[in-house]
Amino acid sequence: MTGRRALAHDLRAAVEGEVRFDAGARALYATDASNFRQPPIGVVVPRTLDDVVAVHRVCREHGAPIVNRGCGTSLSGETVNVVVVIDHSKYLTAIGDPDLGSQTVLVEPGAINEKVNRRTAKSGLIFGPDPSTHAYCTIGGNVGNNSCGTHSVQSQFYGHGPRTSDNVHSLEVVTYDGERFWVGPTSEEEVEATGGRRGEIYRALRSLAQRHEAQIRERFPSPDVLPRRVSGYNLDELLPENGFNLARALVGTEGTCATVLQARLYLTPAMPERALVVLAYDDICSAADQVEWILAHRPIGLEAMDRKLFRDEQLKNMHPTALSELPAAEEGGAWLLVEFGADTRGEADERARAFAADARKHGVGEGELSVFDDPEQEQALWQVREGGLAATAFPPQGGDYWPGWEDSAVPPPRLGDYLRDLKRVYAKHGLDGAFYGHVGQGCMHSRIDFDLRSREGIATYRAFIEEAADLCVSYGGSLSGEHGDGQQRAELLPRQYGEELVEAFREFKRIWDPDWKMNPGKVVDANRLDENLKLGAGYAPWRPEVRFGYPEDGGDFAHATVRCVGVGKCRKPDGVDVMCPSFMVTRDEQHTTRGRARLLFEMLEGEIVEDGWQSDEVMEALDLCLSCKGCTNDCPVGVDMPTYKAEFLHHRWKRRVRPRHAYAFGLIDQVARVASLQPELVNLLGRTPLFKLAAGMTRHRATPTFAPLTLQQWFRARGGTRNPRGRKVVLFPDTFNNRFHTDVGVACVEAIEAAGWQVAMPQGHVCCGRPLYDYGFLGLAERYLRRNLEQLREWYGAGVPIVGMEPSCLAVFKDELRKLLPDDEDAKRLAESSYHFAEFFREFELEPPRLERRALLWGHCHQKATGGVDAERELLEQMGVETKEVKAGCCGLAGSWGFEAGHYDVSLAAGEQGLLPRVREASRLDLVVANGFSCKTQIEQGGTGRRALHIAQLMQMAREHGPGGVRGDRPERAYDEVRPQPSRLRRARRLAVPAVAVGACIHAGRSRLRR
Ligand SMILES: Cc1cc2nc3c(=O)[nH]c(=O)nc-3n(C[C@H](O)[C@H](O)[C@H](O)COP(=O)(O)OP(=O)(O)OC[C@H]3O[C@@H](n4cnc5c(N)ncnc54)[C@H](O)[C@@H]3O)c2cc1C
Ligand code: SF4
Ligand code: SF4
């Protein structure tokens, strides 16, 4: 057995958790949010704290190094290494009840920062440091990096201090050599009395602190002067006046000294009522100059952002409403966001008003200041600021922007001058980047357009960082103000601390980790900032021919695979976004958008993932991607996994026989076309296990039934539109509403006609090809699109709107069409003429009928990604429907994905993340509105006892039953089976065919017997 295999074997024997040493896992963990890449030896996902201890024991027996990992959002390369990765984020997530006496809470390292705060806020307390990644980063990671956040100002003024280190009470740790113990402030008596390895550590650290006391005092300014000193090890915590605090000394060691098993954290008063004041300034430097008088008002947050960030978010259409609400939005050069908190609304507002009055005295003019007291508005504005790092990574005007010098910090009063000088360093090296950050604590962020793909570019990157580091130190600053040193800044530490203290750091590490096996090559004796680069001068990925156009990536699929900057938003465990439903269920890195993007990146690198389009690792990760398009909308850098998945499947299956379900579901339009000849017969067969088996469908689901009459047939039979003189609109007869939910189709036709328009409906075989993408039939998909362009040209060419009933089908015209035929002018025209059903009502200001009911609204994921569901909500409100929108991931069915054998459990679990429980909880008098075929099916098949209606069916109800709608429970029951029926003649003809066939068979059988 080789060393790696033996290690994996022994780890599997020692732990309950998951041990993955395969290529897929190594690819998943080879990068983080930094510029670096180092494929690990393997990955362990421990289930228990004892597992973590066991990993240390086994690794030590094998001499294997270790790195700990939470959410992996580190920006300095702290979590990439050639080591065994311990991923704490999946199982080690316990959060205790807050101890109100000591105002602390006990948590495991994988607990998510925001989840801790949600738990403790119920007792009026929070954990102060909240990084922008607070919704998914872990406490282990916060401790590892000594993180800070927007509300570090709050914990500085009202709690224990700005950084995580200031807010740590004690830690339970395990060392590489297996010593497990609690650390915190340690008395002289305890140091003396403790024996064994632990006592050795105590005494060695005390000696270290005593020998370097003078230098420590000189080079470690207090948090009052430099609140964000995050670089280096916290040797100041070993000083007697700080209580020889071993816990705080370990915070920020980036997993290079010991592993944290549990943390007891200090909590800060939550001050839940908030008011936000936003001030506009000419530029970021003059905004930063204001910090001192603003801090005198003791805000709980003081952040800044400049026009470049504003412009990037505006061009990306991120937070459009929030951006328009900023004061002097047209001409402002930079904004300060000043937040006030209190226990009561009145008090928070009063603080904001007093501050605003003072701001006038400090020269802030009319129109340069806005006060916000609506929590939703405030939240939206914070998202503008927190979205900074991601929004500036690939700005729409071009260029790739990277971390590297993205979190330096100086004493806050000196920040304005520091920025003026720093801008000169940018200009000298021909570099650019937006500025935004935590001005209240002197910490400024910026992604920079380094060229990390050429030798010259990398030389400039180094020269710039070295000069910027010297500048920062000359201002009495810290190289890192929150993200840590890792590999990015570690080699620069002598500039900040001098050689003596760097030698003391080395000794500090050696005391904890004499074998030098904890995250080696980071912080001390670190790898250089220009080695192990993810791209690097040698970056030459495989660039295969691809079917999609990738217009945002200059047509380069390889660029699309570096788009993921590792922010981790796709690892949100729950919440209002769609992204990423599969991770929400499995909590597994490989089922995040990020994980999939990384595997595709590695596929093109070809080093770990070697089989190109035939890679089973990539296939496995993509298998649970629901192609819900959640990432295309929610991922801050627009990672477009459904497109990459379709591309991958196309190449993987090219000229090969695909799995059964690919034909049954991918070609559903053709299957349905044939089935519509004998729908009754096919519906009978559809119930049988054999049918499901043949279609590759799960036996747990009912097969949707084909309508007895198609919508097109009904429309023809009624003689076309009833409004021949109205303005013309095309209703696109998608496969689902044409051949299954024809009741919805009828309701749509009638709703549009009732609004005075003339409906045109293309006849013959019409299909957008939606399901083809899910199975990678891209050649066919392109043919379908070209046929759509032909079929619909007479209308979109004449400016007639094309309206979709099924959101996922209409989304093809808004999304896939543009990506598959990026240069086709007709495609652009069709895309511009296409409207989701409610969008059409809004755009042309149509009057809907009144319906005074309450409804639960569920928006289809594809609609959310191609225009959103605001139009739906507004239309319902216009009708008089009191609407509550359910926002919680994806329905889980996602087209045919949840019908496939093998996806059923995850599909249902995704529905249970939000949609299904909300529907069950809803009053049975309320309506449930969902326009998507799959969402409706999931609600029906998900044990809710309810059936959702299309918004057009609500209009139908209003017309047929008046504004009160259908009375009583389950109002949708009135529309349970109202699909149009065929005429007697058509039915008789249909029955005749099988009758003749059966007759012929009997006759043939008899003849045989006679013979
Ligand atoms: C878009 C973006 C915005 C960000 N904004 C902020 C911000 O506002 N403020 C801020 O401070 N940071 C910010 N960061 C950096 C990062 O999110 C924080 O450092 C965060 O705390 C890291 O948490 P994580 O769970 O991702 O940890 P990881 O990145 O997984 O790990 C961080 C460090 O902790 C160590 N570690 C993890 N678990 C343990 C353990 N159990 N024992 C010992 N060591 C451990 C790791 O080895 C590593 O060195 C941002 C990053 C991104 C990408
Ligand atoms: S896929 Fe998007 S959301 Fe997920 S980590 Fe990457 S950049 Fe962030
Ligand atoms: S399409 Fe949906 S499931 Fe797939 S990666 Fe994106 S968010 Fe996740």
Side-chain angles (χ1 to χ4, degrees), residues 744 747-748 751 837 931 949-957 959:
V744 171
C748 289
F837 186 80
N931 293 348
L949 297 178
H950 192 283
I951 195 164
Q953 292 178 295
L954 264 67
M955 295 187 190
Q956 187 179 24
M957 182 185 284
R959 286 194 310 276

Side-chain angles (χ1 to χ4, degrees), residues 528-596:
R528 292 191 321 271
L529 61 84
D530 46 10
E531 61 185 327
N532 314 124
L533 289 172
K534 180 175 170 182
L535 301 179
Y539 178 63
W542 176 43
R543 285 201 161 86
E545 261 188 36
V546 284
R547 281 310 281 245
F548 283 103
Y550 303 98
E552 279 85 15
D553 295 293
D556 182 5
F557 180 59
H559 188 269
T561 70
V562 295
R563 201 158 254 284
C564 169
V565 290
V567 174
K569 194 175 171 200
C570 51
R571 287 181 48 106
K572 225 170 160 179
D574 46 35
V576 297
D577 294 334
V578 177
M579 175 178 70
C580 175
S582 50
F583 173 75
M584 289 185 209
V585 173
T586 66
R587 304 288 156 107
D588 200 323
E589 179 71 27
Q590 82 170 324
H591 300 132
T592 60
T593 314
R594 176 174 89 172
R596 295 176 179 121

Side-chain angles (χ1 to χ4, degrees), residues 852-930:
E852 285 149 16
R853 295 296 294 258
R854 278 196 322 216
L856 211 63
L857 170 65
W858 175 259
H860 190 291
C861 300
H862 285 189
Q863 183 164 346
K864 286 182 187 159
T866 56
V869 287
D870 284 357
E872 244 75 15
R873 221 181 26 244
E874 288 164 21
L875 186 58
L876 287 169
E877 277 159 18
Q878 205 184 337
M879 290 172 71
V881 180
E882 201 184 312
T883 310
K884 197 166 160 199
E885 189 185 340
V886 184
K887 294 179 180 175
C890 161
C891 76
L893 197 60
S896 51
W897 185 88
F899 277 104
E900 287 173 33
H903 289 166
Y904 178 71
D905 290 342
V906 178
S907 163
L908 215 59
E912 292 296 345
Q913 293 286 325
L915 172 65
L916 299 176
R918 293 296 98 71
V919 173
R920 279 186 213 112
E921 285 158 18
S923 158
R924 291 173 76 81
L925 296 174
D926 294 351
L927 292 149
V928 182
V929 184

Side-chain angles (χ1 to χ4, degrees), residues 578-582 591-593 596 624-632 641-642:
V578 177
M579 175 178 70
C580 175
S582 50
H591 300 132
T592 60
T593 314
R596 295 176 179 121
L624 289 198
C625 166
L626 292 85
S627 296
C628 67
K629 290 188 192 284
C631 44
T632 66
M641 199 48 66

Side-chain angles (χ1 to χ4, degrees), residues 33 67-75 78-79 88 109 130-133 136-138 140-142 144-145 147-149 254-255 258-260 389-390 438 445 482-483 519 565-567:
V67 71
N68 293 288
R69 182 143 162 157
C71 185
T73 61
S74 282
L75 285 151
E78 297 90 317
T79 61
H88 298 254
D130 56 344
S132 303
T133 48
Y136 21 94
C137 71
T138 64
N142 300 167
N145 283 349
S147 299
C148 311
E254 304 177 8
T259 294
V260 175
L389 193 144
H438 313 283
H445 293 316
E482 63 178 25
H483 300 158
N519 208 6
V565 290
V567 174

Side-chain angles (χ1 to χ4, degrees), residues 42 51 77 112 118 147 279 282 318 360 391 415 569 605 616 763 874 912 980 987:
D51 269 2
I112 289 175
R118 270 195 244 154
S147 299
L279 311 170
D282 290 343
M318 288 167 80
R360 306 265 180 244
L415 183 61
K569 194 175 171 200
E605 287 292 288
D616 289 338
Q763 295 293 319
E874 288 164 21
E912 292 296 345
R987 205 181 279 277

